[in-house]
Amino acid sequence: MAFDIEKIRNDFPILQRRVHNKPFVYFDNAATTQKPLRVIERMDKIYLETNSNIHRGIHYLSDVSTRQFEEARETVRKFINAGNDHEVIFTSGTTAGINMVAFSYGEKYVSEGDEIIISSLEHHSNIVPWQMLCERKGASLKVIPINDYGELLIDEYEKLFSSKTRIVALTHVANSTGTKNPVKKMIGTAHRNGVPVLVDGAQAVQHGKVDVQELDADFYVFSGHKMYGPTGTGVVYGKESILEEIPPWQTGGEMVDQVTFGKTTFNRLPFKFEAGTPNYTGVIGLAAAIQYIEETGLNDIASYEKELLDYGNKRLSEIDGLNLFWEAENKISIFSFILEGIHPYDAGMIIDKYGIAVRTGNHCAQPFMERFGIGGTIRASLVFYNTCEEIDRLCEAIEKVKEMFS
Amino acid sequence: MAFDIEKIRNDFPILQRRVHNKPFVYFDNAATTQKPLRVIERMDKIYLETNSNIHRGIHYLSDVSTRQFEEARETVRKFINAGNDHEVIFTSGTTAGINMVAFSYGEKYVSEGDEIIISSLEHHSNIVPWQMLCERKGASLKVIPINDYGELLIDEYEKLFSSKTRIVALTHVANSTGTKNPVKKMIGTAHRNGVPVLVDGAQAVQHGKVDVQELDADFYVFSGHKMYGPTGTGVVYGKESILEEIPPWQTGGEMVDQVTFGKTTFNRLPFKFEAGTPNYTGVIGLAAAIQYIEETGLNDIASYEKELLDYGNKRLSEIDGLNLFWEAENKISIFSFILEGIHPYDAGMIIDKYGIAVRTGNHCAQPFMERFGIGGTIRASLVFYNTCEEIDRLCEAIEKVKEMFS
Amino acid sequence: MAEKTITEVQDEIIEEFEIFDEWLDKYNYLIELSQSLPGIDDKYKSPEYLIEGCQSRVWLRAEMENSKVKYTADSDAIITKGIIALLIRLLSGRKPEEIINTDLYFIDRIGLKENLSPARSNGLVSMIKQMKLYALAYQTKSKNE
Amino acid sequence: MAEKTITEVQDEIIEEFEIFDEWLDKYNYLIELSQSLPGIDDKYKSPEYLIEGCQSRVWLRAEMENSKVKYTADSDAIITKGIIALLIRLLSGRKPEEIINTDLYFIDRIGLKENLSPARSNGLVSMIKQMKLYALAYQTKSKNE
Ligand SMILES: Cc1ncc(COP(=O)(O)O)c(C=O)c1O
Ligand SMILES: Cc1ncc(COP(=O)(O)O)c(C=O)c1O
């Protein structure tokens, strides 16, 4: 097998630890991922050897730091195949990125009576900023409905457009279900209606090749910490033509060109959108994570994760009294399920005791859960450092849970 | 001497390095500070052993992570003596913090014709967000003038208040000059006029004890990376009574209570203002930095830094053709100067060659520089790991610069 | 009948749990306890009595009977319900003063701390807070009367 | 007079700098060069000819003379001015095509890379860009004529 899982697991030191005196199984990857040693060491090296604030500094280390930061931008550009470096804006995470776009785009293009389309599969972070925008501007939300597999109803989507539609905000991959949405096609539909699209890629970039130009996404947003990078980092890709048009969101040091008390003019892209000292250590760590992903190979990652998905689906569906939700055609290896008659919290508490980290609850997707009349599920989200043996261990733990609460 | 400078310098590994084959002298501390080993190790430990997303997770590491994050909040609370943990909001930096307040407070309390008071000493990050707010709302800025020493004119300040004044935004210590403003007195004046005050503490918290309750500040904002902590971290202290009243800024995961497509209700403080996955690794690292500062002792730090200031003032004023600016009564150890007939850029390039990191330019305070008719200065900003010998080395380098450009 | 103090009952519970070496036995005991909890009438399972908490829902009611606070409570999660049973055993039927001032150290000592972590959001932390608030409210009320 | 190519002049400059072991001598040479630069008339030191750059200011003008681009430039910082002198020596009086396509490798080779770092913001990076833009503009113009 080309995919050397043992080597990979050794790259992630935390996977070697024990929890509750059991080997640690980390199945909470949709919440955040673990970090390969090289990412940790990359950031250490900065603090131990080169740390200095970036941009406009005249001294040696400031120069080193700035180059590393701008090289990281180029690494991200290549990773998502953006056309230009300055279309890559660094933020503190997906939530911050969506807030940025909702504010900046909203200030310029959304006014009373306008409409914004989102989907039923969105994370709260891709719902609430649009709600707030609607509230501020007197606009309204239209929601793309789903079927019972947790798939968007594309026909219904097309019907939501009107002359009032100003933007579509859509997740690439849903964090509650793992469903992959046909974003390319959906962007095409939006563009035919003259409407730009923001894609929430928080659960997508780490699982398969994303090409923002091929998708023709107007905005593409994701978090570093969910793709094996550090916390406090994130990216907004935006098309130059739109980024030039919309006003900045945060303002302050470095993103300005000229400041007088009367009037301020803004710096060019990408700086216009990067106010204040960026998390440059984090960003450089993120570039190291991307290099790690690329060396491992996104195609290999995707096909190994598909194996995990198939094996997990098979094993979990064999368990009596386990309801596996949303087995969409096209999805990443997220398993969302409930055990009949057992509260997810009770199950989660016991599964934890076997050293297995799963998440329980509504996964920041309340409206979605309500659509299915459930308060929450148990969610196991797997990535390429997980194994089929770990899935077996989860199944064993589930059997124990059933015994206890029978 | 109680202050063991040798031990302290050993705590900061980067200070041992060489630059251009000379021992490294880091005098760019106002831009960002170096990190003690313990901060680096604290964050490593997280990524190597306990990394997990915080809040609402049911499994063991999520619990560990959440506790560490909330303990960090308590560490910050104590450090600035806030009344309550939930008055401490984590952000990505000072700029983000000021933007948050300008938006949230502005949405609720600022409308057409209103006035906002700032000072002539502000960093761009405490100017531009207020300008943007004024532009959005049709309000206007009033600016507190200064004297030639770079000190605010308190009498003029008092005259700026009117029934239309909604907030005062004021730096505690100015980054361009090092001037310490009499914020307590100035907050008193504002409160007598029924106006709340935001204090920009980015250059203050690391140089002496700040007690937000004693100051009676309504908001107090600072950055982690300028106080020996990691990049991508920052704090907004806000009085509970105001934080409860004003709307959230960023919205999304974790900061909501209930979400439906129709309406969203927000979580309680402090979560209402912490949308998305916070930079929890950074925040825990920041807490380690605060512990380091507290063990070193803020009083000892302040008196040692005063020695550096006095020594530097003496040595630099002995240099022919060196104009030292803004020798305010009350200031931190920042030296801002120009060399007659020599461009700061030329000087800075040569000083760098001697392994000394200084900053040249307008230090993100353009309006301030314009007031003095200069394009920029050379700025050396020192902290407690710097030494008098390093000041001597700067003086030698300045002599070389003078020779070269004579 | 000389009533036991809260401290005495806490020590009793700690002793009961001491025989369990394993978390499994502790949790099984909690499940057992949950079955003994009378719970709450469905009509009270309304937002009015609901305690916030994202993972499991907890409902709590309090009444005053002969200067003592009587609690009834319930949850949709069984482990949570088991702990509620312990809390009711400890606090229900006590004078407000006693409840307000008590320090619940048993949770730590019997190794169920994780269930009272604010991070777990099972509603128990808020429930204890609410129990004390009820007690405080009754105390204030009786003083004013 | 067979004119030297840009490449030839770059190699010449590299050779000139090779005799300097020390950065100090290199910078002293740059200072010397800065003095030989005619600079720019004060009336052209206007925003129109100013190149953005936060640390030192750079002014640049271009004219077309006999199908060749003639540059004049100046800066308020001496080191910047010294490098400008090298750039003018290299590019001024050349045909647009030559300027547009040239790869300025000498900067790296003579050990002045730090002066062309975008981080230093001395305006030189923008200046080179602007020099090429002028050349491009003249080329397009002459084609259209
Ligand atoms: C007084 C002051 N305010 C605000 C800032 C901006 O801080 P940050 O870049 O960390 O957002 C700085 C940093 O230079 C500063 O010195
Ligand atoms: C699809 C999706 N969008 C947005 C977010 C929010 O990301 P962050 O918390 O990093 O801002 C998440 C994280 O769970 C997510 O899964």
Side-chain angles (χ1 to χ4, degrees):
Chain A
M1 182 165 117
F3 202 73
D4 187 349
I5 184 70
E6 216 169 303
K7 189 200 148 292
I8 283 169
R9 289 184 64 84
N10 279 327
D11 291 335
F12 293 81
I14 201 174
L15 299 180
Q16 271 70 58
R17 70 162 286 158
R18 295 174 74 84
V19 162
H20 298 309
N21 213 16
K22 303 268 188 332
F24 176 43
V25 176
Y26 186 69
F27 279 175
D28 196 16
N29 292 290
T32 198
T33 54
Q34 301 304 338
K35 320 302 168 198
L37 191 56
R38 104 151 59 161
V39 169
I40 305 168
E41 286 177 343
R42 185 70 194 87
M43 292 192 289
D44 282 359
K45 198 173 158 66
I46 294 168
Y47 285 136
L48 293 170
E49 295 177 20
T50 63
N51 178 52
S52 186
N53 208 330
I54 59 168
H55 295 309
R56 306 197 179 178
I58 202 171
H59 58 84
Y60 176 73
L61 288 189
S62 171
D63 198 14
V64 170
S65 216
T66 305
R67 280 169 197 261
Q68 291 171 345
F69 184 72
E70 294 303 329
E71 279 162 24
R73 199 189 301 279
E74 168 63 13
T75 303
V76 172
R77 186 201 64 72
K78 271 206 215 118
F79 182 64
I80 58 171
N81 193 32
N84 299 288
D85 267 25
H86 58 254
E87 293 176 320
V88 172
I89 316 278
F90 289 114
T91 70
S92 59
T94 303
T95 303
I98 296 172
N99 276 273
M100 174 190 128
V101 177
F103 180 86
S104 296
Y105 184 87
E107 279 298 290
K108 175 96 183 183
Y109 290 113
V110 178
S111 38
E112 199 165 338
D114 285 346
E115 295 167 0
I116 293 166
I117 297 178
I118 65 172
S119 92
S120 301
L121 283 170
E122 302 307 316
H123 187 276
H124 291 168
S125 294
N126 206 21
I127 301 175
V128 193
W130 304 110
Q131 281 182 332
M132 304 309 290
L133 171 61
C134 287
E135 219 169 87
R136 271 201 315 281
K137 300 287 180 178
S140 63
L141 277 190
K142 304 276 150 188
V143 184
I144 312 166
I146 36 176
N147 66 21
D148 288 348
Y149 299 101
E151 294 164 334
L152 295 179
L153 300 178
I154 301 301
D155 292 349
E156 299 298 319
Y157 165 62
E158 310 214 350
K159 293 185 208 148
L160 292 178
F161 286 91
S162 81
S163 63
K164 290 289 188 182
T165 311
R166 288 295 163 265
I167 191 167
V168 175
L170 185 65
T171 197
H172 197 162
V173 172
N175 75 307
S176 43
T177 61
T179 316
K180 290 186 200 168
N181 291 320
V183 283
K184 187 175 172 184
K185 197 173 145 197
M186 294 175 78
I187 290 170
T189 305
H191 286 178
R192 275 194 300 284
N193 285 277
V195 176
V197 178
L198 171 138
V199 179
D200 174 352
Q203 300 291 349
V205 279
Q206 64 280 57
H207 297 298
K209 181 65 190 172
V210 167
D211 181 328
V212 292
Q213 293 190 80
E214 198 220 318
L215 291 178
D216 203 16
D218 301 278
F219 295 102
Y220 196 96
V221 188
F222 52 98
S223 293
H225 72 98
K226 290 183 196 281
M227 53 188 294
Y228 318 105
T231 56
T233 60
V235 172
V236 172
Y237 158 80
K239 278 186 189 162
E240 181 182 27
S241 54
I242 304 187
L243 290 178
E244 292 284 8
E245 287 299 313
I246 63 181
W249 176 45
Q250 294 192 47
T251 54
E254 300 305 332
M255 56 70 72
V256 294
D257 179 22
Q258 291 284 330
V259 179
T260 66
F261 287 123
K263 171 126 202 79
T264 289
T265 55
F266 298 112
N267 204 335
R268 64 178 200 281
L269 290 177
F271 310 114
K272 172 179 162 188
F273 290 99
E274 290 178 354
T277 302
N279 184 1
Y280 57 86
T281 321
V283 161
I284 296 164
L286 173 57
I290 289 176
Q291 278 152 8
Y292 182 85
I293 292 172
E294 285 177 338
E295 281 171 30
T296 308
L298 268 168
N299 285 339
D300 287 354
I301 288 175
S303 58
Y304 179 78
E305 287 179 355
K306 178 73 170 67
E307 280 176 36
L308 292 176
L309 174 65
D310 291 342
Y311 186 77
N313 273 335
K314 182 174 150 290
R315 290 287 278 116
L316 288 169
S317 15
E318 286 163 9
I319 297 176
D320 259 2
L322 184 149
N323 284 336
L324 194 53
F325 284 99
W326 313 302
E327 292 181 74
E329 278 278 314
N330 208 347
K331 60 174 287 189
I332 60 166
S333 50
I334 285 183
F335 307 102
S336 223
F337 57 91
I338 57 175
L339 301 171
E340 268 165 36
I342 303 175
H343 194 284
Y345 178 79
D346 287 327
M349 285 300 283
I350 303 305
I351 292 171
D352 173 57
K353 295 287 182 188
Y354 288 94
I356 303 168
V358 294
R359 191 146 288 238
T360 61
N362 62 46
H363 319 303
C364 287
Q366 270 179 32
F368 172 77
M369 293 294 164
E370 258 158 38
R371 152 80 171 71
F372 290 93
I374 45 181
T377 67
I378 302 163
R379 182 187 71 185
S381 49
L382 279 60
V383 297
F384 66 93
Y385 48 60
N386 293 121
T387 65
C388 292
E389 293 74 48
E390 290 182 324
I391 294 173
D392 292 340
R393 293 218 11 235
L394 174 64
C395 293
E396 282 164 32
I398 291 171
E399 291 298 345
K400 303 277 184 190
V401 169
K402 282 171 53 191
E403 265 170 44
M404 279 184 79
F405 295 98
S406 64
Chain B
M1 183 166 116
F3 201 73
D4 187 347
I5 183 69
E6 217 170 304
K7 189 197 148 293
I8 283 169
R9 289 183 65 84
N10 279 327
D11 292 336
F12 293 82
I14 200 175
L15 299 180
Q16 271 69 61
R17 71 163 283 160
R18 295 174 74 83
V19 163
H20 297 312
N21 211 19
K22 304 266 190 329
F24 177 43
V25 175
Y26 186 70
F27 280 176
D28 196 17
N29 292 288
T32 197
T33 54
Q34 301 305 338
K35 322 303 170 198
L37 192 56
R38 101 151 62 159
V39 169
I40 304 168
E41 286 176 345
R42 185 69 194 85
M43 291 191 290
D44 283 359
K45 200 175 156 64
I46 294 168
Y47 285 136
L48 292 170
E49 295 178 19
T50 64
N51 178 54
S52 186
N53 208 331
I54 60 170
H55 295 308
R56 306 194 180 180
I58 203 170
H59 57 82
Y60 176 73
L61 288 189
S62 171
D63 199 11
V64 169
S65 215
T66 306
R67 280 170 198 260
Q68 290 171 345
F69 184 71
E70 294 302 329
E71 278 162 24
R73 200 190 299 279
E74 169 63 12
T75 302
V76 172
R77 185 201 66 71
K78 271 207 213 118
F79 183 63
I80 55 170
N81 193 33
N84 299 289
D85 267 25
H86 58 256
E87 293 174 321
V88 172
I89 316 281
F90 289 114
T91 69
S92 58
T94 302
T95 302
I98 295 172
N99 275 276
M100 173 190 129
V101 176
F103 180 87
S104 297
Y105 184 87
E107 278 298 291
K108 175 94 184 185
Y109 289 115
V110 178
S111 36
E112 198 167 337
D114 284 346
E115 294 166 1
I116 292 168
I117 296 177
I118 64 171
S119 93
S120 301
L121 284 170
E122 301 307 317
H123 187 276
H124 292 167
S125 293
N126 206 21
I127 300 176
V128 193
W130 304 110
Q131 281 181 332
M132 303 308 290
L133 171 62
C134 287
E135 218 169 89
R136 271 202 316 279
K137 299 289 181 177
S140 63
L141 276 192
K142 303 279 152 187
V143 185
I144 313 167
I146 34 174
N147 66 21
D148 288 348
Y149 299 102
E151 294 164 335
L152 295 179
L153 299 178
I154 302 301
D155 292 350
E156 298 299 318
Y157 166 61
E158 309 213 349
K159 292 184 208 149
L160 292 179
F161 285 92
S162 79
S163 64
K164 291 287 188 184
T165 313
R166 287 297 161 263
I167 192 166
V168 175
L170 186 63
T171 196
H172 197 163
V173 172
N175 76 307
S176 42
T177 63
T179 317
K180 290 185 200 169
N181 291 320
V183 283
K184 186 174 172 185
K185 200 175 142 198
M186 293 175 77
I187 290 171
T189 304
H191 287 179
R192 275 193 303 284
N193 285 280
V195 176
V197 179
L198 170 139
V199 179
D200 173 351
Q203 300 291 349
V205 279
Q206 64 281 56
H207 297 298
K209 180 67 190 172
V210 167
D211 181 328
V212 292
Q213 293 190 80
E214 199 220 317
L215 292 178
D216 204 17
D218 301 279
F219 295 101
Y220 196 96
V221 188
F222 52 98
S223 293
H225 73 98
K226 290 183 196 281
M227 53 187 296
Y228 317 106
T231 55
T233 60
V235 172
V236 172
Y237 159 80
K239 277 186 187 162
E240 179 182 28
S241 55
I242 304 186
L243 291 178
E244 291 285 9
E245 288 299 315
I246 63 182
W249 175 45
Q250 295 192 47
T251 53
E254 297 309 331
M255 57 71 70
V256 294
D257 181 21
Q258 291 284 331
V259 178
T260 66
F261 288 122
K263 172 130 200 75
T264 288
T265 56
F266 298 111
N267 204 334
R268 64 178 201 283
L269 290 176
F271 310 113
K272 172 178 160 189
F273 290 99
E274 292 178 352
T277 302
N279 183 359
Y280 56 86
T281 319
V283 161
I284 296 164
L286 175 57
I290 290 176
Q291 278 152 7
Y292 182 84
I293 292 173
E294 284 176 338
E295 280 171 30
T296 309
L298 268 169
N299 286 338
D300 287 353
I301 288 174
S303 57
Y304 179 79
E305 288 179 352
K306 180 74 170 67
E307 279 175 39
L308 292 175
L309 175 64
D310 292 342
Y311 185 77
N313 273 334
K314 181 173 151 292
R315 291 286 279 115
L316 289 169
S317 12
E318 287 164 8
I319 297 177
D320 260 4
L322 184 150
N323 283 336
L324 195 54
F325 284 100
W326 314 303
E327 293 182 74
E329 277 278 315
N330 210 346
K331 60 174 288 189
I332 59 166
S333 49
I334 285 184
F335 307 103
S336 225
F337 57 91
I338 56 176
L339 300 171
E340 270 166 32
I342 303 174
H343 194 286
Y345 178 78
D346 286 327
M349 284 300 283
I350 302 304
I351 293 172
D352 173 55
K353 294 288 182 186
Y354 288 95
I356 303 169
V358 293
R359 190 145 289 237
T360 60
N362 62 43
H363 319 302
C364 286
Q366 272 181 29
F368 172 75
M369 293 293 163
E370 260 161 37
R371 152 81 171 71
F372 290 93
I374 44 181
T377 67
I378 302 161
R379 183 185 70 184
S381 50
L382 280 61
V383 298
F384 67 95
Y385 47 61
N386 292 121
T387 66
C388 292
E389 292 74 50
E390 290 180 324
I391 294 173
D392 293 340
R393 290 211 21 229
L394 174 63
C395 293
E396 282 163 34
I398 291 172
E399 291 298 344
K400 304 275 187 193
V401 169
K402 281 172 52 190
E403 267 169 46
M404 280 184 79
F405 294 97
S406 63
Chain C
M1 189 185 82
E3 240 209 277
K4 287 183 190 137
T5 65
I6 294 185
T7 307
E8 281 166 351
V9 182
Q10 290 204 76
D11 293 340
E12 206 176 271
I13 293 173
I14 291 166
E15 217 172 284
E16 279 168 32
F17 272 80
E18 260 166 14
I19 57 164
F20 304 128
D21 288 337
E22 292 241 19
W23 66 265
L24 189 65
D25 302 317
K26 283 182 200 166
Y27 276 80
N28 275 328
Y29 185 51
L30 280 182
I31 292 169
E32 214 174 276
L33 286 176
S34 78
Q35 285 150 2
S36 70
L37 186 73
I40 216 167
D41 199 287
D42 268 358
K43 73 174 172 215
Y44 294 122
K45 289 188 178 170
S46 64
E48 199 185 336
Y49 299 105
L50 186 67
I51 308 258
E52 69 165 80
C54 341
Q55 294 274 349
S56 61
R57 288 186 293 176
V58 172
W59 297 268
L60 173 71
R61 287 189 70 224
E63 290 161 300
M64 198 65 161
E65 263 177 29
N66 308 324
S67 313
K68 287 171 180 169
V69 192
K70 208 179 137 241
Y71 295 105
T72 43
D74 209 340
S75 171
D76 55 355
I78 292 193
I79 296 175
T80 309
K81 212 165 152 181
I83 297 172
I84 289 175
L86 290 170
L87 289 169
I88 298 253
R89 174 168 153 203
L90 262 174
L91 300 183
S92 193
R94 304 270 172 195
K95 296 213 190 75
E97 309 70 87
E98 263 188 297
I99 299 166
I100 295 163
N101 298 318
T102 193
D103 164 31
L104 295 174
Y105 56 82
F106 80 101
I107 298 268
D108 243 15
R109 296 275 295 283
I110 62 179
L112 291 177
K113 202 175 66 187
E114 68 262 31
N115 284 287
L116 272 197
S117 170
R120 306 290 176 117
S121 297
N122 53 11
L124 280 170
V125 175
S126 312
M127 172 177 164
I128 294 177
K129 208 162 154 196
Q130 190 60 38
M131 287 176 109
K132 293 200 174 193
L133 275 178
Y134 272 130
L136 197 67
Y138 284 126
Q139 188 188 43
T140 320
K141 202 171 152 205
S142 69
K143 274 195 191 138
N144 290 348
E145 267 166 11
Chain D
M1 189 186 85
E3 240 207 278
K4 289 184 186 134
T5 65
I6 295 185
T7 306
E8 281 163 352
V9 183
Q10 290 204 75
D11 292 340
E12 205 176 87
I13 294 173
I14 292 167
E15 216 171 285
E16 277 166 34
F17 272 80
E18 258 168 15
I19 59 165
F20 305 127
D21 288 338
E22 292 243 15
W23 66 265
L24 188 66
D25 301 319
K26 284 182 198 163
Y27 277 79
N28 276 329
Y29 185 53
L30 280 183
I31 293 170
E32 217 173 274
L33 288 175
S34 77
Q35 284 151 1
S36 70
L37 186 73
I40 216 168
D41 199 286
D42 269 0
K43 74 174 173 215
Y44 296 124
K45 288 190 178 168
S46 64
E48 199 185 335
Y49 298 104
L50 186 68
I51 306 259
E52 72 166 77
C54 340
Q55 295 272 349
S56 61
R57 289 185 293 176
V58 172
W59 297 270
L60 172 71
R61 288 187 70 221
E63 288 160 303
M64 200 64 163
E65 262 175 30
N66 307 325
S67 310
K68 287 172 180 169
V69 192
K70 208 179 137 244
Y71 295 105
T72 43
D74 208 341
S75 171
D76 55 355
I78 292 193
I79 297 175
T80 309
K81 215 166 147 178
I83 297 172
I84 289 176
L86 291 170
L87 289 170
I88 298 255
R89 176 170 153 200
L90 263 175
L91 301 183
S92 194
R94 304 267 172 198
K95 296 212 190 77
E97 311 65 272
E98 266 189 290
I99 299 167
I100 295 163
N101 297 318
T102 192
D103 166 29
L104 295 174
Y105 55 83
F106 80 101
I107 299 267
D108 243 17
R109 297 274 296 282
I110 63 178
L112 291 176
K113 200 176 66 189
E114 66 261 35
N115 285 286
L116 272 197
S117 169
R120 306 289 174 117
S121 296
N122 53 10
L124 282 170
V125 175
S126 312
M127 173 177 161
I128 295 176
K129 210 164 154 192
Q130 190 60 38
M131 286 175 110
K132 294 201 173 193
L133 275 178
Y134 271 130
L136 197 66
Y138 284 125
Q139 188 187 42
T140 319
K141 207 173 148 202
S142 68
K143 274 195 193 137
N144 291 346
E145 272 165 8

